[in-house]
Amino acid sequence: VQLQASGGGLVQAGDSLRLSCAASGRSFSDYAMGWYRQRPGHEREFVAAIDESGDNTYYANSVKGRFTISRGNAKETVALQMNNLKPEDTAVYFCVGDVRVHIVVEGPMYWGQGTQVTVSS
C-alpha cells in the first residue's frame, strides 16, 4: 500500500499551493483520508480529514478557513488546497488514510511519504 503525495514547494506568504495524494496497492475509495504535517522542531500534527463519502471534512483550528480538503471523483485521490499560506505553515506534509475518519484524526494506520512545503515571509 502506497500513498503518494505531491505538490509541495517554496512559496511566499499569502500564496496558495495544492497538494495531491494518490493511493496505489489497494483501493482507498472506502477509506477516510487526510493530511498531517510536521513543522521544524515539532511533532507531527493533524491538519485535515475527509470521510469515506467525501461529504464530511474536519480541520485543525490553525488551518480552518484557509485549507480545503477534497476527494477526487473516484475517491482514490485526495487534495489539500492551501490558501493564504503563512510562514508557520512550513512543514513536511503527509497523506494518510484509515478505515474511519475519527481514526484518521486520532492516529491513522497508513502514511505516505512527505512533501515539503516552505513558506517564506
Side-chain angles (χ1 to χ4, degrees), residues 41-72:
H42 291 76
E43 296 185 352
R44 290 184 183 183
E45 60 183 3
F46 167 75
V47 175
I50 188 166
D51 71 0
E52 311 87 277
S53 69
D55 292 336
N56 298 292
T57 57
Y58 305 85
Y59 297 94
N61 288 334
S62 58
V63 306
K64 200 172 293 183
R66 300 187 298 121
F67 291 11
T68 302
I69 189 171
S70 60
R71 299 190 76 133

Side-chain angles (χ1 to χ4, degrees), residues 8-30:
L10 172 63
V11 296
Q12 293 186 330
D15 285 351
S16 298
L17 205 59
R18 185 177 179 87
L19 304 183
S20 297
C21 175
S24 63
R26 68 158 301 144
S27 173
F28 267 76
S29 61
D30 293 333

